[in-house]
Amino acid sequence: MTNMTAELRIRPAGPADLDAVLAFWKTAAEGTSISDDRDGVERLVARDPEALLLAERDRVLVGTVIAGFDGWRCHLYRLAVDPERRRQGIGSALLAAAEERFVRLGGRRGDAMVLVRNETGQHAWRAAGYQPEEHWRRWVKPLAD
């Protein structure tokens, strides 16, 4: 994948990374999802081995993003950066790698789900060139308990 600096490495997650990713999200990600468990992340990586991107510095996990492409739309989830390492370009490097992936796959526009209360996240997404679309509302229906 892409190296944005000499010390930052962006790569797809593999099965051996999943426990570390789940633990990382507990401290670095805002909010939780019904899919934030081992089975959910295993299904993601099995279905699309390049979707879950990791940022590492000196072999330590410092950031993640899920760059999911369903053949029609480009969806971004779980952009998370270690709170102690924010504002160092890690999120920007992850988004650049995700966007490169989307372009390579034929994607035309990326979208992200960002919690309304996550002001830090909203600032990061705006800085990366993303804008909210207030005329859309997300509708959800849990399919499992």
Side-chain angles (χ1 to χ4, degrees):
M1 275 285 156
T2 304
N3 285 334
M4 297 303 284
T5 69
E7 59 185 57
L8 187 65
R9 179 178 180 226
I10 308 288
R11 66 171 180 85
D17 299 306
L18 303 187
D19 290 331
V21 167
L22 288 164
F24 179 78
W25 285 345
K26 289 181 181 177
T27 61
E30 279 289 320
T32 58
S33 166
I34 195 169
S35 301
D36 288 354
D37 61 20
R38 178 81 189 198
D39 288 344
V41 181
E42 280 179 347
R43 275 191 301 278
L44 168 70
V45 172
R47 183 185 175 284
D48 187 349
E50 295 183 0
L52 176 53
L53 300 176
L54 307 182
E56 296 175 323
R57 190 166 272 157
D58 298 324
R59 298 182 187 257
V60 174
L61 179 61
V62 296
T64 67
V65 69
I66 297 173
F69 182 65
D70 61 13
W72 179 259
R73 298 192 191 255
C74 307
H75 301 289
L76 294 155
Y77 310 92
R78 285 291 180 246
L79 176 62
V81 175
D82 180 334
E84 300 293 317
R85 292 180 169 97
R86 291 184 179 155
R87 304 199 54 80
Q88 297 177 12
I90 296 166
S92 296
L94 283 162
L95 286 177
E99 291 166 1
E100 288 171 17
R101 169 179 157 74
F102 291 152
V103 168
R104 190 174 68 247
L105 294 171
R108 298 180 185 167
R109 177 182 65 192
D111 67 57
M113 294 190 328
V114 184
L115 289 170
V116 172
R117 71 173 190 260
N118 185 355
E119 292 181 22
T120 301
Q122 290 180 35
H123 177 73
W125 286 104
R126 277 190 210 286
Y130 290 77
Q131 298 296 319
E133 288 191 340
E134 301 297 340
H135 58 278
W136 291 99
R137 181 165 307 270
R138 182 174 177 224
W139 292 47
V140 298
K141 176 183 175 183
L143 300 176
D145 293 332

